Amino acid sequence: MNGKRKSMLTGSIVKQALKDSFIKLNPVVMMKNPVMFVVEIGTFVVLLMVLFPGYFNTAGRTGFNLAVFLILWVTVLFANFAEALAEGRGKAQADTLKKTKKESTANKCVGSEIIVVNSTELRKGDIVVVSQGEMIPGDGEVIEGLASVDESAVTGESAPVMKEAGGDFSSVTGGTRVVSDRIKVVITSDPGESFIDRMISLVEGASRQKTPNEIALNTLLTTLTLIFLIVVVTLAPIAEYLGVPLDIPVLIALLVCLIPTTIGGLLSAIGIAGMDRVTQFNVLAMSGKAVEASGDINTMILDKTGTITYGNRMASEFIPVGGAALAETAHWAAVGSLKDGTPEGRSVLELMNKQQLAYDTEVAAGGEFVEFKAETRMSGIDLQDGRHVRKGAVDAVRRWVLAQRGSIPEDLAAKSDAIASEGGTPLAVAVDGKIYGLIHLKDTVKPGMKERFEQLHQMGIKTIMCTGDNPLTAATIAREAGVDEFIAESKPEDKIAVIRREQAEGKLVAMTGDGTNDAPALAQADVGIAMNSGTVAAKEAANMVDLDSDPSKIIEVVAIGKQLLMTRGALTTFSIANDVAKYFAIIPAMFMAAIPQMKALNVMGLGSPLSAILSALIFNAVIIPLLIPLAMKGVRYKPMSSARLLARNLTIYGLGGVIAPFAGIKLIDLVVHLWI
Amino acid sequence: MDILQIGIVIVVLLLLVKPAGSYIYHVFSNESNWTDRMFGPVEKFFYAVIGLRKRSGMSWKTYALSMMATNVVLVAVSYAVLRWMGGLPANPNGTGNMEASLSFNTVISFMTNTNLQHYSGESGMSYLGQMIVITMMMFTSAASGLAVAIAFMRGITRRGDGLGNFFEDFVKAHVRVFLPLALIVTLVLVGLKVPQTLEPTVTVNTLGGAVQHIAMGPVASLESIKHLGTNGGGFFGANSSHPFENPSPLTNVIEILSMWTISAALPYTFGRFANNRKQGWILFSAMMVLFLAFLSLTYVSEKSGNPLINQLGIDASQGSMEGKEVRFGVAQSALFTAVTTAATTGSVNNMHDTLTPLGGLAPLAQMMLNVVFGGKGVGLVNMLMYAILGVFICGLMVGRTPEFLGNKIESREMKLIAVAILAHPLIILAPTAISFLTHLGTDALSNPLYHGLSQSLYEFASSAANNGSGFEGLGDNTVFWNVSTGLVMLLGRYVSIIALLAVAGSLSRKKPVPESIGTFRTDTKLFAGILVGTVLLIGALTFLPVLVLGPIAEFLTM
């Protein structure tokens, strides 16, 4: 994974974000964020009072008003900066992608002729020929030939991948380069709709829509803003009646401190940064909704082969039969595999090495390799000395031996059944009329998968493994890996059935897939992650594409989704909890002049009424940039039960949210009080 | 001794919660059970009379509409009676017709279960009015509230067909809950010397030679439903401090338990509906924690007395006895005050206007929160609203989109809750502010400065929470106060009921989310803490500034 998309904060991003935070002051843009819009209006009102003190009769308080104005203005700018910064990181990624979208030419086939056209003129259905060193002009599917393609522009992975007509490795992405051979490609997208185009608009945030949870949270924040607006507006006439004069800037300060500006200012940055974290992980989410949904996943459907296991059956043990010695069995197994290029064959030699067993390579010298065939279900070698070595399915070898009038050892059947009952595959090894023993072939679980399934358990996510294997083999792997359920001998339609069954129970289901026959299931799943190496149909049906084509990444995507939601909840809680301290700062300060006894409520012992109000306002403003790193990185997430997670986050962000501003405001007041 | 008196009542309440909650569950679960045998025939008669043959479940809209329509009809009939009662029968004292704005206020007041009284029962209401307007509405408003609460429970726990059938619930609430209980409590009260008669006012010559008019009437029957239905409107102007309404400490305890038990049992009923009794107890304990805090505030504040009077050297060992009945003392008065404002009954056995500043802050705050037990069902429904709110904010912190009892809380629910949660502060603070902008409002205040603010604030908080008690010094029988509090009572009752029924309707249509180890659990002590925190942070902080200017300023400057 050397090519992981880096998303560093560079100087230019910060500079651009600073510029954008001023551009975003445009009220039409601000209106989309009601909380900050109210702050902006307040800022404007105070500005008017600073500019025309005579008209508002505020001549004596211009200094204080100016301070309030500046702090409010900075508050709005901070919030804009947070959003701009998050957007900036996406834009920087988009720029690198755009570079790959340079104009190029294409060799279009028209009838039997090939004409050179501009790549932007290609339409869906056109056929082009791409040769070594040329750029593939658009998304498409290989219909003829085989080539290795450098996809580093899209995936960041520098090793080229093979693409060939037919099968699951036929899709190619525009902007990638053919490094060897030559292929014929049918174009599957019109200009502007290609994969890279979509990717650019996604990371740029151009097609970003608010997610359902974000909309609901926004409703809550707007409601809180309205409530505090009511509180502050009604306070004025009541205080007036009681002979407690309240200045408008003071009321605005109270309002701004009470409305949830912290979360209001950071909300969109959290969302953008969440998408960004997925992208950094080399997974492309087609919508924020999909990322959010991944946090809610109850059930995960995983293919056994390639995801949980390596998929190759590997030799794990040599079992002698009929009184043969272990060394003898191993020796013939190795000789029979010497020229066998299949993973099974190689694994036999690896096992020899691992068990430090020796064999004589001389024996096989000059021998003729016998390939595996579906009819014979055996492979092996015909040695120069006339002996025939065979290894293969037990019944096939048995028949072969019997045909040569050989004898069958008595313990063969029992030992081969024992292997099968453990979910393994037995291969028999024979030389002419004698069976020497068995090779135990076994599917192996990838290292680390067991631990990951343990984590999923702690998150309360059920895992279902799908495999084409027989139930016995499936059960063994399921037990070894620790998945909850498995579907053996599964067909593509089984996956949809399982997804529908789980969804009918109200569960959200995630799955990965790459083949065309996975497409309906990917579309049915709530979170479907297609492999970039997969077919176009799979990628279109999915709502995420993994550019590294690593199916086990789905687990990390879930963690990112959860982290996104947690960050939102944590900052909302923090923001609302902050109100307690702000009240204790501002309320006594507002009334102390008219009702001196209010000093009793000044529990923080703030220097003066004016410094108390300014300190609360300053705290309210600076907490936004202080929390930007948290909003961008997300709160720390470790898989654990919801009860512990809640207790932990509630202590940090709830209790912390009550205490932190008391300390913060007091500290700021110590400084501010030096002037006022 | 004081603590013991309070403790015993609370223990009795705790013992009553489970049986009462189970009984209400059985009544409304619509599964056949033993209550059918007793009441089935009576109900069948009513169903036949109103032509309710097929009692199919209703959508939230139909349910809300049925409730509104029923309430509108009752309001119309009652308004007519009050306007013309002078000429109607059962008027031995010759009471005249009621004035239009006062009739408007009174009818709204009783239909919304508020029972704010801008009239005095002895002189302003005929016996017919007392019986077929006041007592009738005490039953119907309580039944309407209970029905809505049950419908809300059905919706969010997905029990039954839609939200249930309003008319069926309405009839059941009468036949199986309020009528039998009212009958029992009436008989007990009569046994304890509360009058129940249709004789006119008795005129006697006192030993001193003066002529005294002793007002009487069907007091016991009104008294029982007044508390059972958390209504609170007194037969007499002095309400439950009047010796005929509440003659002894024993009747006082009976009245406290009558108004408290059903409200306190509803969380348990909810637990039964949700198939999770622990969930019910968690809601109950969140309410109880808040209640005990407010009760302690009132009790301690009253017990330490009024510093200004203490300075005069008057014996303060009994606490502040101004406006309290000697037969109840501080403990029974503080408990009554805390319960009547928690359960939004609004009956009083002492004058809240003369409570010490912090003693008066507690009832004010309970009405502002409107979640501490609350009137018939309203408190529970509001508390569940805060539960959804708490789940929404804190639930995100476990890394899932928020869900409550297997219901995903999404944008639509948040919008509806926004309406309900916005309405309450708006209809308390806005009219209070308006009342200080005009002489129509300020002229009614009998106190200057901070206590004056408390008077106005209390009146609107009481109206909005459908409580009905008052800071009695307020001269509130004017067109301004009659109309403004009338509107506040209307909005306070129906806006949140309709919004929250819509929430229930929306949740009941959702596919339930199965529970897993990753689910945010709402039946834990931690959640009780979250609930109290949410209520205090969102509910209480809203009112802090006015409370600081009212009772707290009064306390600090005393």
Side-chain angles (χ1 to χ4, degrees):
Chain A
M1 302 235 186
N2 48 352
K4 240 186 208 165
R5 217 164 284 285
K6 289 278 185 309
S7 183
M8 296 290 288
L9 282 179
T10 60
S12 66
I13 294 180
V14 175
K15 222 180 277 168
Q16 183 63 37
L18 280 173
K19 214 170 98 191
D20 284 347
S21 35
F22 284 89
I23 296 170
K24 282 169 184 282
L25 286 173
N26 178 358
V28 181
V29 181
M30 285 299 282
M31 222 133 67
K32 287 185 194 135
N33 184 344
V35 182
M36 295 317 292
F37 185 58
V38 167
V39 182
E40 191 176 36
I41 292 176
T43 315
F44 184 68
V45 172
V46 181
L47 175 64
L48 288 181
M49 300 189 133
V50 173
L51 294 179
F52 310 105
Y55 183 79
F56 290 98
N57 204 11
T58 53
R61 292 180 294 274
T62 303
F64 173 75
N65 291 355
L66 183 65
V68 172
F69 161 71
L70 287 175
I71 301 169
L72 291 182
W73 194 43
V74 168
T75 311
V76 181
L77 286 177
F78 279 155
N80 287 349
F81 179 69
E83 192 180 276
L85 204 57
E87 284 171 354
R89 299 212 300 188
K91 284 211 184 86
Q93 289 178 359
D95 288 343
T96 45
L97 282 174
K98 274 181 191 158
K99 282 187 200 134
T100 67
K101 245 194 76 172
K102 289 181 298 233
E103 291 267 300
S104 61
T105 54
N107 309 314
K108 183 176 164 189
C109 301
V110 182
S112 55
E113 277 179 76
I114 292 182
I115 50 167
V116 176
V117 297
N118 199 307
S119 62
T120 53
E121 290 166 29
L122 292 172
R123 293 292 177 274
K124 216 185 257 184
D126 287 348
I127 292 168
V128 293
V129 173
V130 193
S131 313
Q132 186 169 348
E134 287 176 349
M135 183 132 2
I136 298 175
D139 292 358
E141 223 162 331
V142 182
I143 48 170
E144 204 182 293
L146 175 150
S148 60
V149 176
D150 172 13
E151 292 198 321
S152 59
V154 181
T155 64
E157 182 66 50
S158 51
V161 287
M162 291 299 288
K163 297 286 178 184
E164 57 182 326
D168 287 346
F169 297 97
S170 62
S171 88
V172 287
T173 311
T176 57
R177 193 174 291 278
V178 172
V179 287
S180 74
D181 304 294
R182 167 193 160 100
I183 44 176
K184 213 179 226 181
V185 173
V186 59
I187 299 294
T188 53
S189 70
D190 287 335
E193 295 165 12
S194 71
F195 188 64
I196 289 217
D197 288 321
R198 269 197 290 166
M199 214 164 137
I200 290 171
S201 76
L202 277 167
V203 292
E204 258 187 340
S207 64
R208 196 180 106 82
Q209 284 174 321
K210 279 191 179 146
T211 60
N213 175 259
E214 217 175 333
I215 294 171
L217 188 56
N218 236 321
T219 311
L220 174 71
L221 298 181
T222 311
T223 312
L224 290 175
T225 307
L226 279 174
I227 288 180
F228 287 118
L229 199 61
I230 294 169
V231 170
V232 171
V233 168
T234 54
L235 193 59
I238 294 173
E240 184 77 28
Y241 170 79
L242 297 176
V244 184
L246 295 177
D247 290 341
I248 288 180
V250 171
L251 285 171
I252 290 176
L254 175 67
L255 175 66
V256 170
C257 280
L258 294 182
I259 62 178
T261 47
T262 312
I263 180 68
L266 293 172
L267 188 58
S268 59
I270 295 170
I272 298 168
M275 286 280 279
D276 191 45
R277 275 200 300 281
V278 176
T279 319
Q280 280 174 56
F281 216 67
N282 251 2
V283 174
L284 206 60
M286 297 303 164
S287 69
K289 198 176 163 182
V291 179
E292 207 174 272
S294 58
D296 276 352
I297 289 305
N298 302 88
T299 306
M300 202 178 269
I301 296 177
L302 297 157
D303 278 324
K304 187 202 79 174
T305 309
T307 309
I308 300 173
T309 66
Y310 286 110
N312 311 320
R313 294 176 303 170
M314 309 233 256
S316 69
E317 202 184 353
F318 297 115
I319 302 168
V321 295
L326 174 66
E328 229 175 344
T329 311
H331 176 260
W332 287 118
V335 169
S337 306
L338 259 180
K339 296 197 168 174
D340 184 355
T342 64
E344 286 93 340
R346 280 202 305 270
S347 77
V348 170
L349 301 183
E350 278 164 26
L351 183 67
M352 294 292 289
N353 276 334
K354 213 160 51 180
Q355 301 198 344
Q356 290 167 339
L357 292 163
Y359 60 97
D360 187 2
T361 44
E362 287 297 302
V363 180
E368 198 183 325
F369 178 59
V370 180
E371 247 185 274
F372 178 87
K373 281 205 196 80
E375 309 92 79
T376 60
R377 292 161 66 219
M378 291 187 300
S379 65
I381 190 165
D382 290 342
L383 300 179
Q384 264 190 331
D385 59 11
R387 282 186 289 179
H388 307 283
V389 183
R390 290 290 181 274
K391 70 176 205 301
V394 177
D395 57 332
V397 173
R398 206 164 147 260
R399 240 175 293 126
W400 181 74
V401 169
L402 285 176
Q404 298 173 70
R405 307 227 156 94
S407 65
I408 305 300
E410 281 169 17
D411 56 349
L412 176 73
K415 283 184 174 162
S416 73
D417 284 352
I419 294 173
S421 70
E422 280 173 50
T425 309
L427 286 188
V429 180
V431 182
D432 293 331
K434 180 170 166 60
I435 296 183
Y436 280 89
L438 295 163
I439 305 169
H440 184 167
L441 288 185
K442 200 166 141 183
D443 204 353
T444 30
V445 174
K446 286 184 182 175
M449 285 312 282
K450 203 175 157 64
E451 291 73 21
R452 285 177 146 185
F453 285 121
E454 184 52 39
Q455 291 179 352
L456 287 174
H457 262 289
Q458 286 170 357
M459 297 184 208
I461 295 173
K462 179 164 115 182
T463 43
I464 300 178
M465 178 181 88
C466 283
T467 169
D469 290 346
N470 63 53
L472 232 50
T473 315
T476 308
I477 294 294
R479 198 173 48 242
E480 271 180 40
V483 296
D484 298 296
E485 255 182 49
F486 63 87
I487 301 165
E489 291 163 355
S490 87
K491 296 177 284 297
E493 54 271 27
D494 289 346
K495 274 191 196 167
I496 304 193
V498 175
I499 294 173
R500 293 222 171 104
R501 184 193 76 202
E502 296 286 312
Q503 285 175 338
E505 291 172 24
K507 294 179 180 170
L508 263 62
V509 185
M511 71 163 280
T512 55
D514 50 12
T516 299
N517 52 19
D518 281 333
L522 283 169
Q524 177 74 33
D526 300 282
V527 175
I529 304 184
M531 301 298 108
N532 190 46
S533 59
T535 59
V536 175
K539 282 196 259 184
E540 268 174 8
N543 42 22
M544 290 191 202
V545 175
D546 177 17
L547 301 174
D548 293 338
S549 303
D550 171 7
S552 63
K553 251 200 224 166
I554 190 170
I555 298 169
E556 276 83 6
V557 171
V558 168
I560 293 174
K562 284 191 178 298
Q563 201 189 22
L564 169 71
L565 293 170
M566 276 167 49
T567 309
R568 236 180 244 160
L571 290 180
T572 308
T573 309
F574 186 82
S575 188
I576 295 174
N578 274 194
D579 275 6
V580 179
K582 291 181 201 162
Y583 257 127
F584 275 102
I586 295 192
I587 294 272
M590 286 170 85
F591 304 139
M592 226 143 58
I595 313 170
Q597 290 92 334
M598 285 285 169
K599 218 172 65 194
L601 296 182
N602 183 8
V603 289
M604 281 181 268
L606 301 179
S608 73
L610 292 187
S611 81
I613 294 169
L614 289 182
S615 304
L617 264 187
I618 291 173
F619 177 84
N620 195 51
V622 296
I623 196 72
I624 297 177
L626 286 180
L627 289 175
I628 288 180
L630 185 69
M632 300 280 240
K633 265 189 274 163
V635 303
R636 214 161 59 88
Y637 174 62
K638 259 175 39 192
M640 56 173 97
S641 76
S642 65
R644 281 179 53 207
L645 207 55
L646 179 66
R648 179 175 166 272
N649 285 333
L650 208 56
T651 316
I652 300 177
Y653 301 101
L655 203 62
V658 174
I659 296 167
F662 275 103
I665 293 174
K666 177 72 193 169
L667 284 176
I668 296 170
D669 178 74
L670 289 176
V671 179
V672 174
H673 187 46
L674 296 177
W675 287 281
I676 307 178
Chain B
M1 194 55 198
D2 278 1
I3 305 290
L4 191 67
Q5 281 184 47
I6 293 174
I8 288 173
V9 178
I10 291 175
V11 168
V12 173
L13 175 89
L14 290 176
L15 295 176
L16 284 173
V17 164
K18 199 174 160 181
S22 301
Y23 179 77
I24 298 171
Y25 169 73
H26 286 305
V27 169
F28 293 104
S29 67
N30 291 347
E31 291 153 10
S32 43
N33 58 65
W34 60 271
T35 57
D36 290 341
R37 262 185 320 232
M38 279 167 75
F39 301 107
V42 188
E43 276 163 10
K44 284 219 181 71
F45 169 74
F46 283 113
Y47 295 149
V49 169
I50 57 176
L52 192 66
R53 225 162 295 130
K54 253 195 13 230
R55 298 184 292 282
S56 51
M58 293 175 168
S59 69
W60 78 265
K61 278 184 195 148
T62 323
Y63 201 97
L65 210 66
S66 308
M67 189 225 30
M68 290 299 289
T70 310
N71 283 203
V72 166
V73 170
L74 296 173
V75 161
V77 171
S78 305
Y79 184 79
V81 171
L82 293 186
R83 295 289 282 135
W84 294 309
M85 68 186 169
L88 293 172
N91 189 7
N93 295 328
T95 309
N97 295 338
M98 198 179 263
E99 178 267 328
S101 76
L102 184 58
S103 301
F104 165 78
N105 185 280
T106 304
V107 172
I108 299 294
S109 167
F110 281 85
M111 193 68 255
T112 56
N113 201 251
T114 312
N115 296 207
L116 189 74
Q117 289 166 299
H118 287 178
Y119 67 94
S120 196
E122 298 93 328
S123 54
M125 188 65 73
S126 73
Y127 285 179
L128 184 80
Q130 292 279 24
M131 289 186 296
I132 78 163
V133 175
I134 303 303
T135 313
M136 177 279 284
M137 279 195 161
M138 283 185 168
F139 277 99
T140 51
S141 66
S144 302
L146 186 58
V148 166
I150 297 290
F152 185 80
M153 289 185 210
R154 284 198 194 108
I156 68 172
T157 60
R158 294 196 190 78
R159 296 285 296 270
D161 180 11
L163 298 192
N165 184 299
F166 172 75
F167 299 107
E168 185 183 5
D169 291 341
F170 190 66
V171 170
K172 277 184 166 178
H174 281 105
V175 174
R176 301 194 192 197
V177 182
F178 293 117
L179 284 170
L181 284 176
L183 191 69
I184 297 168
V185 175
T186 303
L187 292 176
V188 172
L189 288 179
V190 169
L192 293 168
K193 312 241 165 67
V194 177
Q196 177 75 6
T197 172
L198 284 178
E199 294 296 313
T201 299
V202 177
T203 306
V204 293
N205 294 311
T206 63
L207 290 174
V211 177
Q212 191 183 355
H213 302 283
I214 301 175
M216 293 202 294
V219 181
S221 59
L222 182 135
E223 201 61 22
S224 62
I225 188 60
K226 165 177 125 184
H227 288 114
L228 285 169
T230 62
N231 291 291
F235 195 95
F236 305 105
N239 211 304
S240 281
S241 55
H242 193 289
F244 284 175
E245 288 206 20
N246 192 3
S248 66
L250 186 57
T251 55
N252 196 50
V253 168
I254 290 173
E255 288 177 11
I256 287 175
L257 289 172
S258 306
M259 61 176 148
W260 203 2
T261 307
I262 296 180
S263 293
L266 281 176
Y268 185 81
T269 309
F270 176 72
R272 293 291 303 262
F273 269 100
N275 263 333
N276 183 348
R277 288 173 213 208
K278 202 172 161 210
Q279 180 73 65
W281 284 117
I282 289 299
L283 292 171
F284 177 85
S285 45
M287 291 175 172
M288 202 57 170
V289 165
L290 288 167
F291 175 81
L292 290 176
F294 288 120
L295 172 65
S296 317
L297 180 62
T298 300
Y299 175 72
V300 171
S301 177
E302 293 308 308
K303 196 68 187 170
S304 33
N306 182 334
L308 296 179
I309 293 179
N310 295 354
Q311 275 164 25
L312 299 174
I314 295 170
D315 173 30
S317 61
Q318 283 193 58
S320 170
M321 283 302 289
E322 186 191 355
K324 294 186 183 61
E325 296 292 302
V326 177
R327 65 184 185 282
F328 301 136
V330 165
Q332 293 264 351
S333 299
L335 184 60
F336 199 100
T337 294
V339 173
T340 196
T341 47
T344 69
T345 307
S347 59
V348 290
N349 79 345
N350 67 91
M351 292 300 114
H352 290 183
D353 195 19
T354 54
L355 289 170
T356 55
L358 295 185
L361 182 139
L364 195 51
Q366 294 205 66
M367 294 188 298
M368 286 167 168
L369 298 180
N370 205 10
V371 296
V372 185
F373 300 111
K376 284 289 101 41
V378 177
L380 178 73
V381 172
N382 280 336
M383 194 51 132
L384 287 170
M385 177 187 84
Y386 276 104
I388 293 175
L389 215 53
V391 160
F392 186 80
I393 298 167
C394 298
L396 278 174
M397 284 197 289
V398 304
R400 293 177 64 86
T401 56
E403 55 208 41
F404 181 55
L405 302 173
N407 301 301
K408 264 206 180 341
I409 311 298
E410 286 164 308
S411 186
R412 184 178 154 78
E413 291 79 46
M414 285 315 292
K415 281 193 187 118
L416 291 165
I417 286 179
V419 170
I421 201 167
L422 252 178
H424 200 58
L426 180 66
I427 61 177
I428 293 176
L429 295 176
T432 306
I434 291 168
S435 78
F436 286 105
L437 287 173
T438 150
H439 276 285
L440 296 170
T442 50
D443 285 349
L445 305 177
S446 57
N447 283 279
L449 282 180
Y450 317 123
H451 195 76
L453 168 60
S454 298
Q455 281 187 312
S456 177
L457 194 59
Y458 194 101
E459 186 76 0
F460 286 112
S462 176
S463 304
N466 299 134
N467 178 290
S469 63
F471 261 24
E472 287 305 330
L474 192 72
D476 50 17
N477 185 12
T478 65
V479 174
F480 172 82
W481 288 98
N482 284 340
V483 172
S484 62
T485 53
L487 290 175
V488 170
M489 287 187 281
L490 266 183
L491 296 171
R493 176 84 165 172
Y494 296 108
V495 169
S496 65
I497 280 186
I498 292 172
L500 291 170
L501 277 179
V503 170
S506 160
L507 290 180
S508 70
R509 280 196 303 272
K510 284 193 182 181
K511 209 186 275 171
V513 183
E515 202 177 276
S516 76
I517 187 176
T519 308
F520 175 84
R521 295 200 69 90
T522 53
D523 56 355
T524 59
K525 284 193 203 101
L526 183 63
F527 187 69
I530 289 175
L531 199 49
V532 172
T534 311
V535 168
L536 290 179
L537 273 178
I538 292 179
L541 283 188
T542 312
F543 295 103
L544 192 68
V546 277
L547 288 177
V548 166
L549 279 181
I552 294 175
E554 191 185 353
F555 169 75
L556 290 173
T557 53
M558 226 166 173

